[in-house]
Amino acid sequence: QVQLVESGGGSVQSGGSLRLSCAPSGYTYSMYCLGWFRQAPGKEREGVAALNGGGRTTYADSVKGRFTISRDNAKNTLFLQMDSLKPEDTAMYYCAAVQSKPNWWRCPLLPDSYNYWGPGTQVTVSS
């Protein structure tokens, strides 16, 4: 059973930075897609960034050039470095995992593709 716990959320002013962390357990990183998702009040959950076992990344257009997903294999930790934050980045951020499928060249950003989720961490960006 894969378990995920996020940390690192908080409040920051527009233009600032935050780094989110996720500590997965119960999985083999080379066989899984790990992703970051977010959900703002009244909106659907959306994919932000994903990383496969080989290190290939996928980003939503809205965060390209501002957010960076990475993994520290030694510490078994997934990160999301968020720079140049905007008020519209305000949301609950979730870490998620799914076992990779053979036909996935990159990890998907569709929330329905993922079946393991953390409880989330709140990010608030003020203008």
Side-chain angles (χ1 to χ4, degrees):
Q1 181 75 11
V2 178
Q3 295 183 323
L4 306 153
V5 179
E6 306 93 340
S7 62
S11 297
V12 64
Q13 289 191 328
S14 182
S17 298
L18 282 174
R19 188 175 78 158
L20 305 183
S21 300
C22 174
S25 61
Y27 83 117
T28 303
Y29 77 85
S30 62
M31 299 174 61
Y32 277 75
C33 280
L34 297 176
W36 287 99
F37 296 80
R38 66 186 182 186
Q39 188 167 18
K43 295 188 176 181
E44 293 186 352
R45 190 169 298 189
E46 63 175 357
V48 174
L51 177 70
N52 72 3
R56 188 170 289 120
T57 58
T58 312
Y59 291 97
D61 288 343
S62 59
V63 306
K64 281 181 181 176
R66 300 188 300 122
F67 291 10
T68 304
I69 188 172
S70 63
R71 180 181 60 223
D72 184 330
N73 294 333
K75 296 182 179 180
N76 194 30
T77 303
L78 180 74
F79 299 102
L80 183 69
Q81 178 66 41
M82 304 186 294
D83 298 319
S84 302
L85 282 162
K86 305 175 182 180
E88 50 263 44
D89 294 318
T90 295
M92 184 71 78
Y93 282 71
Y94 299 91
C95 176
V98 63
Q99 190 164 358
S100 297
K101 293 181 170 52
N103 61 331
W104 285 356
W105 184 67
R106 289 183 183 275
C107 294
L109 290 179
L110 294 174
D112 287 348
S113 298
Y114 290 73
N115 51 1
Y116 298 104
W117 293 85
T121 186
Q122 178 68 37
V123 171
T124 302
V125 184
S126 57
S127 57

